[in-house]
Amino acid sequence: LQETADVIASQLNAAPLVHADESGLRVAGKLHWLHIAANETHTWYGVHGKRGMAAIEEHGILAGRTGVLVHDCWAPYWRLDDSTHALCNAHLLRELVYAKETTGQPWTQAMSDFLLNANKLCAAAREQQAVFSVDDIGAFRTVYDDIVREGERANPAASGRVKQSTTVNLLRRLRQYGDAILRFVGDFAVPFTNNTAER
């Protein structure tokens, strides 16, 4: 089946959008990683002893490809500089639920509601074959940034080299990766989640 696997890998390397994920599994009793690259028509699996860039580079699908890469914010994916990144909002929604349960702060529900409503509006526009204007996209970002600021006011980062709370770390990612989180708003080809790879 190597020829078939090579064709799948080649198709994914050239695809405009690819989902990526990795899961641990045992090989001869030792921890290895099942790396996944997928889109709506192709799925490729590769097992490697490493989880990070060594495996990504050896597999030869994600490294150097252009186009959108949908993932769960795992750090090595950000080293793929040629890709346009989109983040899995299902992961963020789970983290927001945890932040709400542990802090009781209203911004967590506001962000969850915002992301879910934005996804519904995108789905409705997609059905009508419409697109959002630049002003529309800017309005989404304004609301997003306002909610992040509310969270930051409620959870100021500790100064110095100290461990931050999970809520502060979540807010840092929301601030730093806002473009990737909202990629689905400006490009309807980008899905809301990374479920294609996760499944």
Side-chain angles (χ1 to χ4, degrees):
L1 291 174
Q2 189 60 52
E3 185 177 341
T4 300
D6 290 345
V7 169
I8 293 169
S10 175
Q11 291 289 318
L12 288 168
N13 180 259
L17 186 143
V18 170
H19 296 259
D21 192 40
E22 71 295 325
S23 297
L25 81 166
R26 296 281 171 186
V27 176
K30 294 184 179 178
L31 178 64
H32 281 61
W33 296 92
L34 177 66
H35 292 258
I36 299 153
N39 62 14
E40 294 300 319
T41 58
H42 294 75
T43 300
W44 180 92
Y45 299 97
V47 175
H48 199 282
K50 303 275 185 180
R51 187 183 181 195
M53 282 304 294
I56 289 171
E57 289 171 352
E58 189 174 314
H59 289 150
I61 297 174
L62 303 181
R65 69 171 291 280
T66 58
V68 177
L69 179 65
V70 186
H71 57 86
D72 59 6
C73 205
W74 183 51
Y77 292 132
W78 293 108
R79 293 174 59 191
L80 300 170
D81 295 334
D82 295 324
S83 292
T84 299
H85 297 268
L87 290 183
C88 176
N89 284 289
H91 278 80
L92 287 172
L93 289 170
R94 288 195 294 270
E95 290 187 77
L96 287 163
V97 167
Y98 178 76
K100 180 183 177 183
E101 290 172 349
T102 56
T103 69
Q105 295 169 352
W107 72 268
T108 56
Q109 187 64 53
M111 182 60 82
S112 294
D113 291 344
F114 166 76
L115 291 172
L116 291 168
N117 287 331
N119 187 40
K120 287 178 185 174
L121 291 169
C122 289
R126 198 180 296 114
E127 275 186 24
Q128 297 172 8
Q129 297 183 335
V131 294
F132 293 138
S133 69
V134 172
D135 289 342
D136 292 334
I137 295 168
F140 279 103
R141 186 57 189 257
T142 297
V143 174
Y144 175 90
D145 287 341
D146 286 347
I147 297 170
V148 172
R149 272 192 292 275
E150 181 185 342
E152 290 169 338
R153 283 193 296 270
N155 301 276
S159 59
R161 297 180 65 182
V162 297
K163 185 176 180 180
Q164 303 292 337
S165 71
T166 56
T167 303
V168 167
N169 288 333
L170 170 59
L171 284 159
R172 280 185 171 171
R173 276 184 285 118
L174 290 169
R175 170 69 64 200
Q176 183 175 358
Y177 301 123
D179 290 342
I181 291 165
L182 296 179
R183 186 81 56 205
F184 72 97
V185 172
D187 183 353
F188 288 169
V190 175
F192 185 68
T193 73
N194 194 32
N195 286 349
T196 298
E198 297 284 337
R199 289 172 179 159

